[in-house]
Each structure stands twice: as C-alpha cells, then as structure tokens.
Amino acid sequence: MGFQEEMGAALTDRALHLIVLPTEQCNFRCTYCYEDFTVGHMQPTTVQGIKRLLDRRMAGLERLNVSWFGGEPLMARAVVEEISAHVVAAAADAPDLQYMSDMTTNGYLLGVPVAERLAELGIRSYQISLDGPEAVHDTTRVRANGGSSFRQIWRNLLAIRDSALPIGVILRCHLTPANLPSMPDFLAEVRDTFLDDDRFSVSLKPVERMGGPNDGTMDVLSNEARTDVMAELEAVLSAGASTARTAMGAEVCYASRPNSLVIRADGRIGKCTVALTDPANTVGQLLPDGKLKIDNTRMSPWFRGWADQDWNAVRCPYVGMPRTASEPPLLQIGRHR
C-alpha cells in the first residue's frame, strides 16, 4: 500500500489489533532471547478487562485482529481459550465483523488436538521458529529444563501438515554466522517437506542483539553480508518448486499504529513486543472494567512519522525515538518486525 492507504488503515477506529501476552513465562531459554520472565500468568482481573474492552469496542469495529504472544502463550492456554471464546461468542452477533487471530509460539506444545481446538476459536495463523537442523537448533532453542526441542516441534509440524486443519504456518528460520553452513541443506529439507502445502511459508530472519543477557558475546550477521546471504537462501527455497513461498514482512510496524496495542500479562499497555523492559514502552494500564488509562505523553512518540510521511519512523518507531537525558539508551535492535 502507499503511505496514505497505510495511514488510513493505521488511524481508523473501525479496526483494532490487540497483541495479548497471556503469560510472560516460557518453557524455553533461547540463547538470544531478550525477555526476563519476571511477569507470570495473566490474572483474572486482566482477563476480565480484556473481555470488557472488547465488549466496549466490538459494535463499532469492522476488523478485529487478536495476536497471541509471550513468553510462550500455550503455557497459558486456558487464558487464550477463555478470551478467544468470548470473542467468538460476541462476533456471532456482529456478522459484518472480520475477526482474525494468530499466535507466535515455539511450537513445542502445538499438537494437532490443541491446534484443532484453537482453530475452532479463530486462531488460524502461527509463526514458529527453527534455528536449523536438530544438532544446531538444539544448541540455541533450549528448553527451560536444559532439554532439546527440535524433535517435538518437527513432529508437531509434520502432524499439522498431515492434517486437514484450516491453518497457516510461517516457519521463521533464524540465521546466524554459526548456522549458515547448515542452512542450505536444512532449507532444502524444509522446502521439500512443507512447501508443497500452501498452508506453509518460510520467513528468513537474521538473529539480532535485542537486549538479552547474551548480547555481548552473541555473533550476528553483518549488515554487509545479509543481502547476499538472504538471496542465496531464498534461491534454495524456490529451487525446483513453483509453490515455494517466502513470507514477506510488513512495511509498517504494528507499534506505529494507533489502533494496535500490546496488553501484557499484568495489564500494562505497551506498543512494542521487543522493548518490554523499556519504561518508554509502558504507555498505560488496562482497568478491570475494560477502560484504558493511557499516558498520552508516552504514547505520542510511537506515532511520529505519520504527519510528515516518514517511512523510516513508521517502519520502526522505536529506533530514533526521542529521549530525555535522564532516560536509558535505546536498544540497538533495528527493524524487529
């Protein structure tokens, strides 16, 4: 879309995008993770607040998108199901409402019975990360108990492929200097295993330093190397298969959209799912009655770029955000979405 169309989509009050963290705990401890796991499962008062917020807004909406994030959202599956069931019931009385729901998950708990139940509740799009073949993946995407994760995730993906579930899966394949030698063969296996099924696509994503405890020792691809590396690996994905698909990222970051909000497990309202520990990212609080208590001083910097048609600002409003001398420096995360 052009800038005016993007601005219209971002500013309309007929659309609402909620990114909900039902828990900020996780069953993984990925080596590049930036989360601190200090917040637990969502409490009933916050669940109630989300449902009341939706009740307040539903009648005026044409589009509602609920994205599930974490932590690992499937560790709080009961919360996911309770809120989703509320949306489905309310949407039944709003036949003109377009409701979509997606989930970012590590895939470890996403067996077919779980995916079937969530599909009934409108959750039909998933993003699942893979870091290469088993021997490589299991060195970076480590479970909280120290165990491996690849085999269970791969089994779940195969079971979804072999099912008739009406869902889509984006396989987010992370790239690092360490896993590059193994990626051509691995991506060829991914292509041959999944990409003949139009429910699957691949997104290639270089790992970034995003404020995690291992940032100081973590090796990442240089900006100079990325263009050639990405082109070579995308060629592997498309080789010999007209149905091979690479998922494309959005031009405008969700965080720059006034009609997109992050609802954390403790009810805090944010804009960005990466800068969770930055005070600038806490722009308000969800109240139990569904009302939003918003700090407009903190909220407004996230929307800069719309008035002067600055693509760079709306692609990642966190980069270059104005700061006072007393505020901590920004994470050097680049365009994270």
Side-chain angles (χ1 to χ4, degrees), residues 1 26 31 33 43 67 74 79 99 111 125 127 143 169 174 185 226-227 239 265 273 280 282 301 306 316:
M1 289 194 292
C26 191
T31 58
C33 186
Q43 295 300 303
S67 297
L74 289 179
V79 173
Y99 163 54
S125 180
Q127 178 175 274
R143 288 161 59 202
V169 178
H174 287 142
D185 287 345
R226 293 185 183 197
T227 299
T273 58
T282 298
W306 292 115
C316 186

Side-chain angles (χ1 to χ4, degrees), residues 276-306:
L276 293 176
T277 60
D278 191 329
N281 191 35
T282 298
V283 299
Q285 183 74 30
L286 173 68
L287 303 179
D289 64 0
K291 293 180 181 178
L292 300 174
K293 185 178 180 181
I294 297 295
D295 183 336
N296 288 322
T297 302
R298 289 193 173 188
M299 179 74 92
S300 59
W302 293 95
F303 305 147
R304 72 189 194 288
W306 292 115

Side-chain angles (χ1 to χ4, degrees), residues 1 19 33 41 46 102 114 162 272 281:
M1 289 194 292
I19 304 173
C33 186
H41 279 39
T46 304
D102 58 88
V114 174
D162 294 338
C272 176
N281 191 35

Side-chain angles (χ1 to χ4, degrees), residues 60-133:
L61 293 177
E62 295 174 355
R63 297 187 306 279
L64 172 65
N65 183 14
V66 179
S67 297
W68 296 98
F69 199 76
E72 169 49 46
L74 289 179
M75 290 184 68
R77 181 179 154 196
V79 173
V80 175
E81 291 196 12
E82 180 178 350
I83 295 172
S84 298
H86 187 83
V87 175
V88 169
D93 295 326
D96 295 329
L97 176 71
Q98 183 183 5
Y99 163 54
M100 299 167 289
S101 188
D102 58 88
M103 179 179 288
T104 297
T105 171
N106 58 42
Y108 194 84
L109 300 174
L110 190 65
V112 166
V114 174
E116 285 177 339
R117 173 57 181 154
L118 297 183
E120 293 172 355
L121 296 173
I123 304 171
R124 299 188 177 183
S125 180
Y126 294 89
Q127 178 175 274
I128 298 171
S129 294
L130 298 169
D131 283 11

